[in-house]
Structure formats: C-alpha cells, structure tokens
Amino acid sequence: MTRLLTTIAIIGFLACAGCAADEFKEPLGASVRQAVAAQKLAAAPPSDAPVVGLDGAYAQGVMDNYRKPPKSSSKAQKTLQLNFGDSGDKK
C-alpha cells in the first residue's frame, strides 16, 4: 500500500513539474514591434488628396441615427419573473 501511494505521489509531482517548466519560446510582442516599425517607415499619409467616397449629408444621417436611443416596440414595461424552488402550493 505504501509503495502504491509513493508511486502515485511521484507521478503527481512529475506531472506538476512538467507544467511548471518555463519553455515558452514564442517571441512575445513581435507583431507590435513590426507594426511600430512599419509606422516609422511610412509615417506620412501617401498624398494630400481629400478622402473620396463618403457623402457629407449621408455621413451626418448615419451619425444622427447612431446617437439616437433604440426605438422600443411597446410602451409597456417588461418585467422579469424568477421562480426558485416550489411555488408555495402545499396540499
């Protein structure tokens, strides 16, 4: 019995030791460093031409709709009822 418990304890310790190893080899932050380097290479906009493709009146309508609160389908206030346990009917 002692031998079995010792074996189980050793296997448990080895399993925990395997999880504790610091073997993470991926370069953390490489994508951020790459993005920062790309911004340093081309920091200025490509040209001084105005942005084409968005109508000002349409953009104003989109922003007005974005800022409005959502429309409620009914004026009645919705309630939530939660029942836990029995309903209290004791017969």
Side-chain angles (χ1 to χ4, degrees), residues 66-79:
Y66 178 74
R67 291 180 180 135
K68 286 182 190 175
K71 295 179 182 177
S72 178
S73 61
S74 67
K75 298 289 181 182
Q77 185 169 351
K78 298 176 183 173
T79 60

Side-chain angles (χ1 to χ4, degrees), residues 34-45:
Q34 182 183 9
V36 169
Q39 290 174 1
K40 288 179 183 176
L41 292 175

Side-chain angles (χ1 to χ4, degrees), residues 30-84:
S31 61
V32 174
R33 285 190 294 275
Q34 182 183 9
V36 169
Q39 290 174 1
K40 288 179 183 176
L41 292 175
S47 68
D48 292 335
V51 177
V52 180
L54 186 61
D55 182 28
Y58 177 75
Q60 182 66 38
V62 168
M63 288 306 299
D64 290 341
N65 286 333
Y66 178 74
R67 291 180 180 135
K68 286 182 190 175
K71 295 179 182 177
S72 178
S73 61
S74 67
K75 298 289 181 182
Q77 185 169 351
K78 298 176 183 173
T79 60
L80 176 65
Q81 181 178 357
L82 300 175
N83 296 326
F84 295 103

Side-chain angles (χ1 to χ4, degrees), residues 4-14:
L4 177 66
L5 291 176
T6 305
T7 306
I8 291 173
I10 290 173
I11 291 172
F13 287 131
L14 290 176

